[in-house]
Amino acid sequence: MPTEVIVRIRSPRGIVDLPGTVDAVGPTAAQSFQERKSTPGIHLLTAGDNDYAISLQSPAPGDHLAALREREGKAVLVLFPGHTPVRRRLRSLAMSSVEVVPDQGVASQAAPLDLTAGREGAAPLWLLPTGVFSTNPNLPPEEVVAVRDTLVTAARWISSRRTSTFTQLFPPSAFHPEEPVRKERLSAGRATLMLDQVRAALALAAVGGEEAKRDPTGAATLRSAGLTILSHLVATSLEDRSFAPVAERAAEEIFALIDKEADHEAARPALRAHAIHLLQLRAPGLTPAQQERARALVRGLLREAPPYDELKGPWSFAMCGASEFHEGECRILMATHGFKEIPLPEGTPPSPSSWSPYRAFEAPFKTPAGEPIRIFARSASPRDENLEMGMPFFAGLLINRHAQLGAFDLRAAAVKVRQEGYKLMMNAQCAGLTTRFAISQMFPDADIYSSWDSTYFRTGPDGAVSASEGVDCFVAALRGMSERAPHDELDARIRKAQWHHAQAQVPGFSQFVGPSHPLVVARYSDVNRDGRADYYDGFLDFQLTEIAEDMQASMTPRDPGVSASQISGQAAAGLNWAAGSLNRVAQYSELWAALPGQSELYYAFHSGGFFSHREPPQDVPTGDAVRQDLGRLPAVCRYVKSQDAVGGFTVEVMFHSYLSHAAQELKRLLCAADAMRRAFDLGYLAAEEALSTPRGQRCAMLLTMAGLLEFPADQNFIDGLWSMALKALRLPEISRSAVRACITAEDHELSNYYGSRRGLNQLLGALEKSDPVTFQQLGSEDPLVGRLAEIDLGAS
């Protein structure tokens, strides 16, 4: 009679005991295994002091079989009744005609599962029992791959999720907390068939194939959708190690896609770069060999050094500073860095500023070929500061000015300049990374060094600038270029020249972030201009539609006519500005200083793209606050804890697609309001003193919004934005002037441009004394006061 036995393994879901019988022991075990391995069932050969040939009971759950496969070549425990378990190595494993039973509670493996059930107007998406996606639950398996929209819809569904993977197909509902959490998931066995579906789609849409020739954009979009699903399979392996074999194969498919997206006229460089960024993001789910390949690809995305061999003759750089910086920085070049002023060389183009001609300064060091290095300095304003980027005469440009709370950035980005020739561009201002996405879109071929924190300077007794961090770092970069330094060495020289910053506690912090910082660059780039940072863009959609802003109809919902991931143009640019503005708000307001890990200093906010009630954001922490339908809010900020992020979390700033046409300034207000409200709900902002009460929190939001509206514009226009924001937040009508008065020159001196505790107390006191009705309304116990109202889609 065969001996009963249990083979015990550890799976991602815990200890698994697999019952079976021993077929042979010792020298005959290997022969017995060979005789049985082709017969139906699950057969093992274990090695140790005594070899065992074991047959396990069948059927078995798919995830148990996947975990068993992963143990091949590794140790397992063999338990005989009444004896201590013995450790053996699983030498060989054979499975033939094995019936796989559905995992308990996993309905998706027993019947088609509607992934978008209950979403009004949502594109249909089903997960079939075979583990593949479909737009029709009754479609024959052989026809599934032929449906182009299937994987694109699946990619958009995946992109709406941030932290949940295939291990939990339905995250807990923020709108219906009373509903039990659904436990459906994708098993590793069925993930193999999903991988096959993606592979077939990639073959259909391959670069250079017939489909790509017929519809290049559609084929690229389908390849991008396949990439999104592959990346999600790799991410799932981090939560369920039974997916490890699937993840390894999925990663190989991503590497293959990267290879095919190179050096072909139909290839999409943006898709190749995006695939590399996703591999970098999923690195913990890759094998060690794959991780090294991914690192090499990331290095290959970067221009290792300026194209020195192309830079012939003297090198000319422009230095465009605000009028209050110009004269002092010219003195610094000479007194601090040894430059000498020279007459304008022959061939110098006229200055774009008719009121500020160039002054030429020659460096005390030469180009690698022994030619002069010169800086041409002029006063500049945001409307003309970038013009040298379009002049072949110049090899680079330093811009040094105030940001004016982002207002100057808006003006500069509105000026259209086409880059001519190689350019190294350094932006020295406050919170320069908030506008890096705009700079990189304007000048995609430039080597950009943008400031992280405020760029410091000192003034002398005469009020002129007497020391400048921007000039010091720019000269350090030029000295490095004179020695043909690569970008990583230029970065090291800049770090040596930079002044002290609080962020310096982070290893490798550089005040000027250049091409040698791929992670930071990717977080603040948006190559397809869909309003979603590339690094977090699960699905890079190439079928985009430009949507213009409509100030008058900013709060009137209307169907954009396309999926949320397809929105581009002014609408997406405005969302990028909104996310960038939040990083400036967090850095320059005492009210935000309590964010965990000093994350307010580290650009925690980034653009998360558009959503809708058809494709609502998932995995959004909401705290214990009142529940709202996230798919119908104008803006949603998703706080995501992350070990990789400095400060411990990142925040994705998202906006409803039916309001995508809203003015960018209104986007800034509504996104900031949701970000602050959600930070209070989650306990990220300290509930102390005045901030501990609903009234204090609402007033803090008012101060933040008033600071965001401090930019040169018609006051009626600004007051209109203010009124729309108050209405959207269900706040009482309150004078913007009364709130503005509580952000004083004293606050500005302390870099509190968006409110301070002192200003908050001033506002509370002023309202209690002069406007008791509003004061009372701001203290309402109604939790909806100060929260964005769900938009009415009835008229859309």
Side-chain angles (χ1 to χ4, degrees), residues 242-255:
S242 69
F243 271 73
V246 177
E248 184 175 355
R249 292 171 57 197
E252 289 300 323
E253 290 296 324
I254 297 177
F255 283 116

Side-chain angles (χ1 to χ4, degrees), residues 21-33 36 44-46 50-55:
T21 57
V22 176
D23 301 319
V25 179
T28 62
Q31 180 179 350
S32 176
F33 172 78
R36 294 173 179 268
L44 317 179
L45 176 63
T46 66
N50 262 341
D51 296 348
Y52 302 134
I54 301 173
S55 294

Side-chain angles (χ1 to χ4, degrees), residues 315-386:
W315 291 355
S316 300
F317 296 86
M319 185 172 75
C320 299
S323 56
E324 61 268 36
F325 290 91
H326 172 63
E327 184 62 35
E329 291 185 335
C330 289
R331 296 179 194 171
I332 292 168
L333 284 176
M334 295 183 288
T336 304
H337 298 290
F339 282 65
K340 63 178 181 179
E341 188 166 9
I342 60 172
L344 293 179
E346 184 178 353
T348 301
S351 168
S353 299
S354 57
W355 50 278
S356 178
Y358 285 125
R359 294 175 60 185
F361 300 89
E362 188 168 307
F365 44 88
K366 306 288 186 182
T367 72
E371 298 280 359
I373 296 177
R374 298 162 179 158
I375 290 180
F376 294 76
R378 69 173 176 91
S379 291
S381 67
R383 66 177 178 271
D384 64 21
E385 67 184 17
N386 290 324

